[in-house]
Amino acid sequence: MTKIPELLAPAGSLSMLRTAFDFGADAIYAGQPRYSLRVRNNDFGKIEVLKNGIDTAHEMGKKFYLVSNLLPHGGKTRTYIKDMDPVIALKPDALIMSDPGLIMMAREAWPDMPIHLSVQANTVNGASAKFWRSVGISRVILSRELSFDEIEEVRQDCPEMELEVFVHGALCIAYSGRCLLSGYMSHRDSNQGACTNACRWDYKVKPGQQNTSGDVVLLQEARRPDDLMPMEEDEHGTYIMNSKDLRAVEHIERLTKMGVDSFKIEGRTKSPYYVSRTVQAYRAAMNDAVAGRPFNTALLGQLEGLANRGYTDGFYERHHDKDYQLYMRGHSLSGRSLYVGETLEIDAATGRVKVDVKNRFSVGDKIEIIEPNGNTDVVLTEMWNMKGESIDVAPGSGHFVWLKIPMATTHAFIARYTQEPAPAEVTTSSSCSTCGD
């Protein structure tokens, strides 16, 4: 019988945690702001919120992994044990770590605490996995740069080690997150949790012109049109343009048969809607893989509706033929939808549902009601404003409306079917959404 892998989802807040579990995640990961690569706007920096999250996970029979994956300078190594002692007392299920010094300190201070090796440690071979196993690491999160064959080699070389791989989310313009670009361009170190996402800004290439220092400037960033920047390249090209986002849902069956223990979704700074759709899609793909059912290509369309910069399956398969690319693209465009609202409550007297509007939608639109136990498609026939007056259009973010729609639960997300491009994802943080865990 095929082993059932773990589905691991991101959580930057209690709302994301509960959404991830409701839609099928087995575990979530969250960071302590001072010691992970998510410094800003992380709800779990408050000890009472962290306790609530860990307790909620355990009450639901789920797991909570705590991230301590930055590359610390000396000052942070001196405060780590004292700061983390009360956190460890809350009994998270594992620490996700990358620095050998912090790992040594954690093993000495809390010998019973499982430690997972972050992708920041850049494990790319079975010998490295064996080494980390020898010093007490129970799971390795493999580098994103590995192919299927290389992952299988690590599996065979170190069968006793749990292996985790990323299957969805942003990709770094760096080796699995070890990026210097943000520190160079904006003096905020991504390896200390302060990344500005410089590799994902909107750049325009301009005709070369010489500035006062003699540099030839070629790049213009959208929010700083007067600050032209030099662009350097070597024989391989240049490296500071946006990457597409990772999507490997079509490869879940192969990775499952290979014996990967955990599938990881990136995105602790994304929205609960993002978590609901990704977890739901990957849970369905995993269930099909374990049951021996063929891959459901409709899942590609569901993920296409999320804000993305175009999708790639990264390094899993190095060279796709043209027919494969066209096949995948065709299925991705079918069923595309746009996030338009989140339900807040149901009025018992009228049966109407109050909706927090996120994007414009109208009477006559075909909408999708996204709930943990399944999704429902309906054509919207009626809508009311907060005064109870009939209206035709929900204008966009900042508005609330009442709808008469079928609901199996009190909380759901609403999407409108469309062929329009998805808008940029609104995040809760300016910190790095691409650095590894």
Side-chain angles (χ1 to χ4, degrees):
M1 184 170 133
T2 303
K3 177 182 176 181
I4 301 175
E6 170 188 87
L7 180 56
L8 177 57
S13 66
L14 289 173
S15 176
M16 288 179 68
L17 176 147
R18 295 188 182 105
T19 299
F21 289 149
D22 285 345
F23 279 82
D26 301 301
I28 65 94
Y29 61 100
Q32 279 286 276
R34 178 170 166 79
Y35 299 106
S36 81
L37 296 182
R38 302 296 180 276
V39 170
R40 295 167 182 79
N41 299 330
N42 182 339
D43 288 357
F44 294 108
K46 302 171 184 175
I47 194 73
E48 63 274 13
V49 177
L50 183 59
K51 183 180 187 308
N52 190 338
I54 293 173
D55 289 347
T56 298
H58 293 167
E59 288 165 5
M60 299 178 70
K62 310 284 187 174
K63 293 184 177 181
F64 189 114
Y65 302 144
L66 193 66
V67 183
S68 288
N69 68 337
L70 88 168
L71 306 178
H73 292 209
K76 289 184 178 178
T77 64
R78 289 188 286 273
T79 59
Y80 182 72
I81 299 299
K82 179 182 176 182
D83 287 350
M84 292 294 289
D85 256 332
V87 172
I88 299 301
L90 301 178
K91 300 188 183 304
D93 294 282
L95 293 178
I96 299 175
M97 307 182 73
S98 62
D99 181 72
L102 283 192
I103 290 172
M104 177 186 68
M105 294 165 63
R107 298 296 301 143
E108 292 172 351
W110 315 296
D112 296 328
M113 173 58 61
I115 296 177
H116 297 174
L117 188 70
S118 170
V119 73
Q120 290 291 108
N122 305 140
T123 303
V124 295
N125 60 69
S128 290
K130 287 180 180 179
F131 165 77
W132 289 113
R133 181 72 179 176
S134 73
V135 297
I137 300 298
S138 59
R139 177 185 296 185
V140 165
I141 305 167
L142 294 174
S143 282
R144 294 180 176 96
E145 290 74 23
L146 297 186
S147 68
F148 287 125
D149 290 342
E150 290 169 323
I151 293 170
E152 195 151 26
E153 284 179 8
V154 176
R155 174 77 291 160
Q156 292 171 357
D157 289 344
C158 193
E160 66 276 15
M161 176 67 83
E162 290 186 10
L163 300 182
E164 180 177 307
V165 299
F166 278 91
V167 291
H168 198 90
L171 287 171
C172 305
I173 305 299
Y175 210 98
S176 275
R178 289 198 174 193
C179 179
L180 298 175
L181 190 62
S182 173
Y184 174 76
M185 297 181 70
S186 53
H187 308 292
R188 284 167 52 180
D189 188 350
S190 49
N191 298 313
Q192 298 298 305
C195 183
T196 57
N197 281 345
C199 67
R200 302 178 77 73
W201 294 344
D202 181 13
Y203 292 99
K204 300 291 187 295
V205 178
K206 297 291 183 180
Q209 53 185 281
Q210 199 168 58
N211 64 15
T212 55
S213 65
D215 291 328
V216 175
V217 292
L218 296 168
L219 285 181
Q220 179 191 66
E221 201 275 314
R223 290 172 293 181
R224 297 182 292 176
D226 298 325
D227 186 13
L228 297 178
M229 295 172 283
M231 180 173 69
E232 300 174 355
E233 62 181 33
D234 61 17
E235 67 273 17
H236 301 296
T238 188
Y239 309 97
I240 53 175
M241 295 297 184
N242 283 338
S243 165
K244 292 181 178 181
D245 291 339
L246 175 65
R247 182 197 65 196
V249 68
E250 64 270 30
H251 299 310
I252 290 298
E253 180 182 11
R254 183 169 181 179
L255 290 165
T256 298
K257 290 180 177 178
M258 201 178 291
V260 171
D261 297 278
S262 181
F263 296 137
K264 187 170 204 165
I265 297 168
E266 180 277 332
R268 276 183 280 162
T269 60
K270 298 290 184 70
S271 67
Y273 175 71
Y274 171 90
V275 170
S276 71
R277 295 308 302 250
T278 52
V279 168
Q280 188 182 61
Y282 280 87
R283 181 85 267 166
M286 290 167 64
N287 290 343
D288 287 343
V290 171
R293 294 187 291 266
F295 172 63
N296 179 7
T297 54
L299 298 176
L300 298 171
Q302 292 181 23
L303 294 169
E304 192 73 31
L306 293 172
N308 66 82
R309 292 173 170 86
Y311 282 127
T312 174
D313 56 0
F315 293 91
Y316 284 124
E317 289 200 299
R318 303 300 172 98
H319 303 289
H320 290 303
D321 60 38
K322 184 177 180 181
D323 289 342
Y324 177 87
Q325 293 174 359
L326 291 174
Y327 171 80
M328 298 302 287
R329 184 64 178 163
H331 282 288
S332 294
L333 290 175
S334 63
R336 178 186 286 181
S337 57
L338 172 67
Y339 177 35
V340 296
E342 180 177 359
T343 66
L344 299 177
E345 61 179 277
I346 300 175
D347 184 277
T350 64
R352 295 176 184 176
V353 178
K354 185 178 181 180
V355 174
D356 182 1
V357 180
K358 303 298 183 182
N359 282 292
R360 179 187 174 94
F361 63 98
S362 308
V363 170
D365 285 342
K366 183 180 179 181
I367 62 173
E368 183 181 19
I369 304 162
I370 301 144
E371 299 183 87
N373 293 328
N375 303 342
T376 305
D377 293 343
V378 298
V379 175
L380 189 60
T381 57
E382 294 178 282
M383 188 188 314
W384 299 267
N385 62 20
M386 289 296 97
K387 298 178 181 178
E389 301 165 339
S390 180
I391 57 174
D392 292 328
V393 177
S397 182
H399 292 81
F400 298 88
V401 298
W402 292 97
L403 304 179
K404 197 71 174 288
I405 53 176
M407 291 274 292
T409 59
T410 57
H411 183 239
F413 300 97
I414 298 175
R416 171 175 62 85
Y417 283 104
T418 177
Q419 288 299 315
E420 300 169 7
E425 174 76 30
V426 177
T427 67
T428 58
S429 170
S430 61
S431 63
C432 178
S433 66
T434 64
C435 301
D437 302 291

